[in-house]
Amino acid sequence: MTNPVFQMIQIKVKFFAVLRDATGAAEVSLQIPDQGSVDDALQRLIVIYPAIARHVDRVATAVNLAYVGRDYRLASGDELALLPPVSGG
Amino acid sequence: MDHAPNVRHVTQLNSDQVNRYRRHLLLPEVGMEGQKKLLNAKVLCIGAGGLGCPIALYLAAAGVGTIGLVDIDVVSPSNLQRQILFDTNTIGEPKVKAAARRLKALNPDVSVVEHETVINSTNVLDLVARYDIIIDGTDNFPTRYCVNDACVILKKPNIYGSIFRFEGMVTVFAPHLKNPDTGDQGPCYRCLYPEPPDPGSVPSCAEGGVVGVLPGIIGTLQANEVIKLILGIGKPLIGRLVTFNALDMEFRTFKVRHDKTCPVDGDNPTITEPVDYEQFCGVPILDPKSVAETKAEVKRTLHGAASKGPNLDSRGLPPDYQFDEDWEITPRELKRKLDNKDKIVFLDCRLQHEVAITKIDGSTLIPLQQLGPRIGELRGKEKEEVIIYCRSGGRSLQFAQVLKQQGFQNVKSMAGGVLLWNQDINPGGPQY
């Protein structure tokens, strides 16, 4: 039997607004442990893109076009969208 | 000019009005009854900027009878790239005044209420209470939280829009109304963003730039939601948030939901009246720096390009500038060093596209964003005098602090950036 901790899944991450600038990317693929949470994905992203560290506490998170909390469990192929607050008008 | 909206009630359209609104009257979803609803509606547009301009124009054209406008700014030349209520002749005029004239000229049926003020915790309830629908088109976080809380407390729909560079978002916050798809209570702004971002971490349009047509697209989407709500037609954008990207030409619709733990509209609200929003967000509603920039912009336009802007002190600094001797050097001192051909490492830490607007000769470009990977280029110069500049002195100070941590001993940021340089040393040089 495989230990589930070591099974990795691939998800898609979409960056909006200031996160696009901080990462230099609109969309990336990310490997996370199966059943990893949104929060796990965010922690992994901070390691890859340290510039987003100051923003992640405040971003709204959505999976497959629906807002979810940080404890939401991700599945393979999910699209995680990170929407930071924007004030311009 | 801050009077209460006229109370009047349109019960019948006259023949001019039938002509003017004929295209609406032909739509069964609007018709005579709908047009009367529009003429009797009272809408408050907070912010007469990029979003407020197209919103107010379309609402006035549609015959929305009372439009309140809140804005304390005057028209500045850099507004004209996107704020289509204004024109070159209105530079320097209060926005609400210039806007009211334009809207009245567009449609004499509309009464425009000028609120030339800053909305804050002391006046927001009184203002919001006088209108049926509130539109958030402001440019700062304190006002967005302030408008949100007042709308929740007074049960008014809040038509929200915001923009950033090439992206925008729109939704309708109305926790007193139901999500038309699910029947659930809709969210408010705090349900999505309970806490404001760290001060300075999210650039405004003035800092980050914005493509001029973007507020036109987002603002007209907001105006569309206002009209639907007034008429009671279609599916209001409650419980859904639409994002738009102008570069990808992509709209996305996210499902958003009410948060039971929300401090203002949750099960146990802790915020039942407006709070101190400047303290909550850690930033002022009116950024003194951007107010000063607007003033200088207007002055330059009205009094010629060579105007020196605000009076500078004996060292060439703006009167209330908090000069930091340890970290900064004035443009005049730098000029002296450059003229004397002193041996300095002279760096520009802005982005490539800013160099094309204006620059100081003799500098090497290392953008702040690239300092990490490019610090090797400066190795071996730890003992030399390093002077860095940027647009207005903020990024160069950060750059200097990083270099000091990295063992550079004599590092200074040029106070006020190239903007101050272009006032004091190179008058008439571009301000951007």
Side-chain angles (χ1 to χ4, degrees):
Chain A
M1 293 297 285
T2 341
N3 183 338
V5 172
F6 293 104
Q7 268 183 4
M8 300 296 277
I9 55 166
Q10 185 149 314
I11 63 163
K12 199 160 82 177
V13 181
K14 275 189 90 86
F15 297 115
F16 285 79
V18 68
L19 293 182
R20 244 185 213 219
D21 297 336
T23 60
E27 191 180 305
V28 295
S29 290
L30 185 72
Q31 297 260 332
I32 58 161
D34 193 12
Q35 291 294 301
S37 67
V38 167
D39 202 42
D40 296 334
L42 291 175
Q43 295 313 317
R44 205 158 264 260
L45 286 167
I46 291 174
V47 175
I48 304 169
Y49 305 102
I52 70 169
R54 63 194 303 218
H55 302 291
V56 291
D57 280 355
R58 302 292 185 255
V59 300
T61 47
V63 173
N64 303 333
L65 298 176
Y67 272 54
V68 296
R70 296 294 168 94
D71 52 356
Y72 182 89
R73 300 274 160 200
L74 293 156
S76 180
D78 277 351
E79 179 196 87
L80 170 64
L82 306 181
L83 294 112
V86 166
S87 73
Chain B
M1 291 295 265
D2 182 0
H3 33 70
N6 295 350
V7 181
R8 52 169 190 175
H9 197 78
V10 176
T11 50
Q12 201 161 7
L13 269 59
N14 63 35
S15 59
D16 285 347
Q17 289 173 321
V18 170
N19 277 331
R20 180 180 284 265
Y21 304 117
R22 188 180 301 167
R23 298 292 188 278
H24 270 168
L25 302 179
L26 288 170
L27 295 169
E29 293 83 353
V30 186
M32 271 293 183
E33 282 315 301
Q35 192 58 51
K36 282 189 265 177
K37 283 183 189 168
L38 290 169
L39 286 162
N40 289 319
K42 299 189 190 75
V43 170
L44 181 64
C45 185
I46 302 175
L51 294 171
C53 283
I55 294 170
L57 276 168
Y58 271 104
L59 294 184
V64 169
T66 305
I67 300 175
L69 288 175
V70 185
D71 207 309
I72 199 166
D73 280 343
V74 297
V75 178
S76 78
S78 68
N79 294 155
L80 301 179
Q81 165 254 23
R82 64 199 178 287
Q83 300 184 14
I84 55 174
L85 272 170
F86 312 122
D87 58 62
T88 312
N89 293 325
T90 61
I91 290 170
E93 197 178 346
K95 283 185 172 180
V96 291
K97 198 163 264 100
R101 199 173 50 242
R102 171 82 177 91
L103 296 173
K104 287 298 286 182
L106 169 61
N107 188 349
D109 288 343
V110 176
S111 89
V112 180
V113 189
E114 301 168 31
H115 301 286
E116 193 181 339
T117 185
V118 170
I119 208 156
N120 57 31
S121 51
T122 54
N123 64 11
V124 67
L125 290 181
D126 174 50
L127 268 174
V128 166
R130 296 189 233 167
Y131 295 87
D132 310 319
I133 294 176
I134 313 302
I135 304 163
D136 180 352
T138 59
D139 60 359
N140 65 85
F141 288 108
T143 307
R144 292 202 181 269
Y145 281 96
C146 179
V147 171
N148 177 71
D149 292 358
C151 287
V152 172
I153 292 164
L154 294 170
K155 296 188 166 40
K156 305 277 183 178
N158 172 11
I159 318 303
Y160 172 93
S162 63
I163 50 173
F164 178 81
R165 293 188 176 160
F166 292 92
E167 286 177 58
M169 50 169 81
V170 193
T171 188
V172 173
F173 293 121
H176 60 292
L177 301 176
K178 296 219 178 325
N179 176 331
D181 289 325
T182 63
D184 295 337
Q185 178 179 353
C188 81
Y189 184 60
R190 281 185 193 261
C191 295
L192 303 190
Y193 295 110
E195 299 281 344
D198 288 346
S201 66
V202 181
S204 65
C205 291
E207 294 157 339
V210 65
V211 63
V213 70
L214 176 69
I217 295 166
I218 299 297
T220 46
L221 292 176
Q222 288 177 276
N224 181 48
E225 289 305 307
V226 172
I227 286 172
K228 280 161 57 188
L229 278 178
I230 294 170
L231 296 174
I233 59 173
K235 203 165 80 168
L237 199 59
I238 298 170
R240 290 178 296 155
L241 178 140
V242 172
T243 64
F244 171 68
N245 184 301
L247 290 178
D248 302 343
M249 193 59 220
E250 191 173 73
F251 284 94
R252 297 170 79 80
T253 305
F254 291 91
K255 290 177 186 157
V256 292
R257 52 178 197 207
H258 172 248
D259 177 4
K260 285 182 168 47
T261 68
C262 176
V264 64
D265 69 350
D267 291 346
N268 297 297
T270 52
I271 296 165
T272 52
E273 55 184 53
V275 299
D276 183 337
Y277 296 96
E278 294 186 314
Q279 192 192 34
F280 176 63
C281 296
V283 292
I285 292 174
L286 285 177
D287 174 20
K289 220 166 109 183
S290 86
V291 171
E293 273 176 22
T294 301
K295 258 192 198 155
E297 250 185 56
V298 169
K299 198 171 162 192
R300 273 196 308 279
T301 307
L302 300 180
H303 305 292
S307 153
K308 274 213 162 194
N311 293 331
L312 303 177
D313 68 15
S314 59
R315 309 170 72 183
L317 295 167
D320 43 5
Y321 193 89
Q322 303 278 322
F323 186 74
D324 186 336
E325 301 284 350
D326 294 337
W327 289 101
E328 289 180 309
I329 179 170
T330 64
R332 286 183 193 179
E333 287 172 69
L334 172 64
K335 171 81 163 85
R336 204 157 36 234
K337 286 177 189 289
L338 291 173
D339 288 349
N340 288 344
K341 306 215 179 335
D342 288 0
K343 190 171 175 356
I344 58 171
V345 179
F346 183 33
L347 303 175
D348 178 350
C349 72
R350 299 174 300 157
L351 295 167
Q352 181 76 54
H353 69 272
E354 298 180 82
V355 179
I357 305 171
T358 182
K359 65 173 178 159
I360 304 174
D361 288 336
S363 55
T364 303
L365 180 70
I366 301 188
L368 175 62
Q369 287 82 346
Q370 293 172 16
L371 176 55
R374 291 183 60 183
I375 197 158
E377 296 171 33
L378 299 171
R379 286 292 172 209
K381 296 178 174 164
E382 284 83 349
K383 292 203 163 64
E384 292 179 35
E385 180 173 16
V386 183
I387 299 174
I388 309 131
Y389 79 96
C390 63
R391 174 177 170 270
S392 60
R395 279 173 285 174
S396 53
L397 189 60
Q398 282 184 48
F399 198 110
Q401 286 163 345
V402 174
L403 284 189
K404 203 152 238 183
Q405 286 165 3
Q406 293 289 323
F408 290 77
Q409 290 156 20
N410 185 1
V411 196
K412 292 275 168 71
S413 154
M414 189 184 77
V418 69
L419 297 188
L420 183 57
W421 176 276
N422 280 351
Q423 272 181 49
D424 192 34
I425 310 296
N426 177 33
Q431 299 283 327
Y432 69 100

